[in-house]
């Protein structure tokens, strides 16, 4: 019985010791996971310490010494195996984590290397393309200027430096918006800063003979937010073209003026023959003379158009202002075209929603504008068509703006193609429709009409669709002085 009690006490003591060591093992295991478990297990829990602790506990139980030692050794052996097993598990976990970290780092290094190589290839490609672009720009005969939003040149090719009178390589050091008093650029950006299109530049020289005229084709540079960040200008020297155009206009004006007097004499002579003032003529002679008179009138209109346009371009056209009823003017023009309209079965109507509407303008010049427009409509409107002349006051949102009268000449002709509408008011221009139906004309009628309307302070435009007719519209200020600023008086 006593032996059985001793065995129970020894077993209880061993279990208690085992519990203490397992608890200690748990603490040590958690610590070793953070700082390197394997070495700390071996350092802190040695065989001698375990044996000594077990022997100390068992000694108090009055068990023979050799059995105490044997029990302690067995417990130490078990704990050692357990510690080794736990350490092996921890070692494998640490090794797996380390290998995973190494693999991830290698993968990251590969990705960075690939990105670097890709970026390096792109940089080299961009460098090659930049050199090619610079070589092309430098070899262009036209000048190219790239500026930032402040007007500071970012790039300027040699042709631009030469055209602007700069020393080679000086373009990047200059601000083209400043120092315009020097003999370089008299006016580089004489329109709105953000406006695109073409503008002419006068480049000053030492004398009038060395002045140059450049045409600048501009394009505004914008970022992804639509903000203006710069501008590109392509400069072309048009000095020779301007000189040739001036000589041509002068030649045409001189020839037209010289032709007017003899042509007038021929017209009057033919008129005397047709009126039988100088003697009787037979029917065949009358037919030939009528044909001659018709062509003389056509040639007279051509010469008058050339002279009028030359005066308008030279700024020599003067307006003779008077106040007159608009409906009287439109009715007179309708009556003038009435015989021609009846011969084609065309109906001409006149309309104005404002009774007694009057306007201050040059009566003859305004008559010339509307006559040109109605004449064009008569040429292109088919038999049985209609032409409507309309005049009305335009409502303006701004009460300070001058009151404008809008004229509209509408027809039921074939219409005008979109590509022709933008250039129809240029001189010597014929539309595709006019060419197809072989309508002859000088190409000056609409150009003259545009100049006269703008001289009055108005504007002219066309609204048309093919196969749906055309509407030519223009505005004239009701009071000329309210729209056209007065010139300063000379002292």
């Amino acid at each position: 019985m006593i032996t059985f009690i001793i065995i129970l006490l020894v077993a209880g003591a061993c279990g208690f010791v085992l519990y203490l060591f397992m608890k200690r093992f748990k603490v040590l295991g958690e610590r070793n996971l953070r700082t390197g478990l394997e070495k700390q297990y071996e350092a802190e829990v040695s065989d001698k310490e375990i044996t000594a602790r077990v022997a100390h506990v068992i000694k108090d139980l009055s068990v023979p010494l050799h059995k105490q030692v044997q029990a302690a050794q067995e417990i130490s052996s078990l704990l050692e195996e357990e510690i080794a097993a736990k350490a092996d598990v921890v070692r494998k976990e640490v090794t797996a984590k380390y290998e995973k970290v190494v693999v991830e780092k290698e993968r990251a290094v590969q990705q960075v290397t690939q990105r670097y190589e890709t970026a390096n290839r792109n940089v080299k490609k961009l460098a090659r393309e930049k050199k090619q672009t610079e070589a092309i720009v430098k070899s262009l005969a036209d000048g190219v200027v790239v500026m930032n939003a402040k007007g500071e040149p970012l790039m300027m090719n040699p042709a631009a430096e030469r055209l602007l009178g700069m020393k080679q390589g000086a373009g990047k050091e200059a601000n083209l918006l400043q120092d315009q008093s020097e003999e370089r650029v008299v006016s580089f950006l004489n329109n709105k800063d953000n406006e695109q299109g073409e503008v002419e530049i006068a480049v000053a020289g030492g004398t009038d003979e060395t002045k140059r005229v450049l045409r600048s084709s501009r394009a505004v540079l914008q970022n992804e937010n639509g903000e203006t960040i710069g501008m590109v200008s392509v400069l072309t020297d048009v000095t020779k073209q301007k000189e040739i155009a001036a000589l041509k206009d002068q030649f045409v004006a001189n020839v037209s003026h010289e032709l007017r007097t003899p042509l007038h004499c021929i017209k009057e002579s033919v008129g005397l023959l047709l009126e039988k003032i100088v003697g009787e003529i037979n029917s065949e002679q009358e037919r030939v003379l009528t044909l001659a008179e018709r062509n003389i009138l056509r040639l007279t209109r051509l010469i008058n158009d050339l002279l009028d346009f030359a005066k308008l371009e030279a700024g020599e056209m003067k307006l003779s202002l008077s106040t007159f009823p608009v409906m009287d003017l439109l009715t007179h023009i309708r009556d003038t075209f009435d015989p021609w309209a009846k011969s084609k079965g065309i109906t001409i109507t006149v309309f104005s929603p404002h009774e007694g509407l009057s306007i201050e303008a040059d009566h003859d010049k305004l008559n010339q504008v509307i006559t040109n427009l109605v004449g064009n409509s008569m040429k292109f409107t088919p038999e049985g068509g209609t032409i409507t002349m309309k005049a009305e006051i335009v409502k303006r949102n701004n009460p300070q703006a001058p009151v404008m009268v809008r004229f509209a000449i509408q027809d039921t002709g074939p219409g005008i193609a979109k590509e022709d509408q933008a250039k129809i008011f240029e001189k010597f221009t014929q539309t595709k429709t006019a060419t197809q139906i072989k309508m002859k004309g000088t190409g000056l009628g609409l150009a003259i009409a545009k100049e006269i309307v703008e001289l009055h302070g108005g504007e002219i435009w066309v609204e048309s669709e093919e196969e749906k007719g055309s509407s030519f519209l223009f505005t004239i200020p009701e009071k000329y002085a309210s729209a056209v600023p007065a010139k300063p008086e000379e002292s």
Side-chain angles (χ1 to χ4, degrees):
M1 185 67 179
I2 296 174
T3 304
F4 177 73
I5 294 174
I6 292 173
I7 291 171
L8 287 178
L9 292 173
V10 171
C14 290
F16 178 73
V17 172
L18 181 60
Y19 166 76
L20 291 176
F21 278 96
M22 290 301 293
K23 186 175 182 181
R24 178 62 175 174
F25 171 77
K26 182 179 180 182
V27 174
L28 292 175
E30 292 176 351
R31 184 181 302 169
N32 288 339
L33 285 174
R34 296 192 299 267
T35 61
L37 300 175
E38 186 175 358
K39 291 183 179 181
Q40 290 194 18
Y41 277 139
E42 294 174 357
E44 295 183 13
V45 188
S46 64
D47 292 343
K48 290 182 180 179
E49 184 178 355
I50 292 172
T51 302
R53 290 183 182 180
V54 174
H56 177 73
V57 173
I58 296 175
K59 182 180 180 181
D60 294 336
L61 300 176
S62 301
V63 179
L65 181 60
H66 69 278
K67 289 186 178 182
Q68 294 180 18
V69 173
Q70 184 181 358
Q73 288 176 347
E74 289 177 359
I75 293 172
S76 176
S77 178
L78 290 173
L79 291 176
E80 185 176 353
E81 291 176 1
E82 184 68 20
I83 291 172
K86 292 291 184 180
D88 187 59
V89 172
V90 173
R91 186 186 302 109
K92 290 180 179 179
E93 291 178 355
V94 172
T95 302
K97 290 182 179 179
Y98 175 76
E99 290 176 351
K100 182 179 180 181
V101 171
V102 170
V103 171
E104 291 177 352
K105 286 186 176 180
E106 289 178 350
R107 187 182 297 115
V109 170
Q110 290 177 355
Q111 292 176 352
V112 171
T113 303
Q114 290 176 356
R115 286 198 292 267
Y116 171 76
E117 292 175 351
T118 302
N120 191 38
R121 286 195 299 270
N122 291 337
V123 169
K124 290 181 179 179
K125 182 181 178 181
L126 289 174
R128 289 194 302 270
E129 292 177 353
K130 181 175 180 290
K131 288 182 179 179
Q132 292 174 356
T133 303
E134 289 179 348
I136 293 171
V137 171
K138 287 181 179 179
S139 63
L140 290 175
D142 291 338
V144 178
V145 181
V146 181
M147 296 186 296
N148 60 20
K150 297 180 181 179
E152 299 166 345
L154 302 177
M155 185 184 71
M156 183 182 296
N157 68 348
E161 293 174 343
R162 183 179 67 255
L163 291 173
L164 295 174
M166 296 180 175
K167 295 180 180 179
Q168 187 173 359
K172 293 183 178 181
E173 301 174 358
N175 188 327
L176 300 182
L177 299 180
Q178 298 177 356
D179 302 329
Q180 295 193 15
S181 59
E182 299 179 5
E183 293 183 359
R184 290 199 290 112
V185 185
V186 173
S187 175
F188 189 77
L189 300 173
N190 56 359
N191 59 352
K192 295 179 181 179
D193 291 342
N194 293 329
E195 185 178 346
Q196 299 190 148
E198 291 189 352
V199 59
E200 288 189 355
I201 306 166
V203 181
T207 62
D208 291 341
E209 288 76 13
T210 59
K211 284 184 178 179
R212 291 194 302 275
V213 179
L214 308 180
R215 180 179 291 118
S216 172
S217 300
R218 298 155 34 106
V220 173
L221 303 177
Q222 296 179 332
N223 59 18
E224 60 274 8
N225 298 324
E227 299 173 345
T228 299
I229 58 175
M231 184 186 70
V232 176
S233 292
V234 178
L235 307 177
T236 305
D237 192 344
V238 294
T239 306
K240 292 296 181 183
Q241 292 91 318
K242 284 288 183 180
E243 292 176 353
I244 293 172
L247 291 173
K248 181 195 67 176
D249 293 341
Q250 186 63 40
F251 172 77
V252 170
N254 291 339
V255 171
S256 300
H257 183 74
E258 293 299 327
L259 285 176
R260 176 178 278 182
T261 299
L263 192 60
H264 180 73
C265 295
I266 295 172
K267 176 186 173 184
E268 292 299 321
S269 299
V270 171
L272 291 175
L273 292 174
L274 285 173
E275 292 174 4
K276 301 178 182 180
I277 294 177
V278 294
E280 293 294 325
I281 55 176
N282 57 37
S283 57
E284 182 63 18
Q285 290 171 333
E286 185 174 3
R287 185 186 69 81
V288 173
L289 288 171
T290 300
L291 181 62
E293 184 183 43
R294 188 182 307 158
N295 282 279
I296 290 170
L297 291 175
R298 179 171 176 271
L299 185 58
T300 301
R301 287 195 297 272
L302 171 60
I303 292 174
N304 288 337
D305 285 347
L306 289 171
L307 289 174
D308 287 343
F309 195 78
K311 287 181 180 180
L312 287 167
E313 281 198 324
E316 298 175 356
M317 179 72 72
K318 305 298 181 183
L319 297 179
S320 178
L321 300 176
S322 62
T323 302
F324 54 89
V326 172
M327 285 300 293
D328 288 355
L329 173 63
L330 297 182
T331 303
H332 170 73
I333 295 173
R334 181 197 61 188
D335 294 342
T336 301
F337 282 97
D338 195 54
W340 187 8
K342 287 181 179 179
S343 68
K344 294 186 65 176
I346 295 174
T347 302
I348 301 178
T349 59
V350 177
F351 170 74
S352 176
H354 311 287
E355 185 177 355
L357 176 62
S358 295
I359 191 172
E360 181 187 33
D362 188 316
H363 183 280
D364 291 341
K365 295 294 185 296
L366 199 55
N367 179 81
Q368 183 179 357
V369 170
I370 300 175
T371 298
N372 279 338
L373 297 177
V374 175
N376 284 340
S377 294
M378 287 293 302
K379 291 178 185 178
F380 296 104
T381 301
E383 294 184 4
T386 61
I387 297 174
T388 302
M389 291 187 286
K390 183 179 179 181
E392 60 183 341
I393 294 176
V394 181
K395 294 182 179 180
R396 308 292 288 270
N397 294 328
N398 183 6
Q400 303 299 325
V403 177
M404 305 295 284
V405 177
R406 181 172 62 201
F407 294 84
I409 312 300
Q410 302 170 326
D411 63 53
T412 56
I416 302 170
K418 286 288 185 183
E419 59 268 22
D420 288 334
Q421 293 181 24
K423 58 182 180 180
I424 197 171
F425 293 101
E426 297 177 3
K427 59 182 179 180
F428 306 115
T429 298
Q430 294 284 340
T431 64
K432 180 176 66 176
T433 304
T435 305
Q436 290 174 346
I437 63 178
K438 298 181 179 180
M439 281 290 180
K440 296 181 180 179
T442 62
L444 286 174
L446 292 178
I448 292 173
K450 179 176 182 292
E451 293 290 338
I452 292 175
V453 168
E454 291 179 350
L455 190 62
H456 277 83
E459 58 179 334
I460 186 170
W461 68 96
V462 62
E463 297 175 358
S464 178
E465 291 184 33
E466 292 188 84
E467 308 302 331
K468 293 185 179 180
S470 303
S471 296
F472 283 86
L473 305 99
F474 67 92
T475 56
I476 296 290
E478 186 182 24
K479 299 292 183 181
Y480 176 80
S482 65
V484 180
K487 295 182 179 179
E489 297 182 0
E490 296 182 359
S491 56

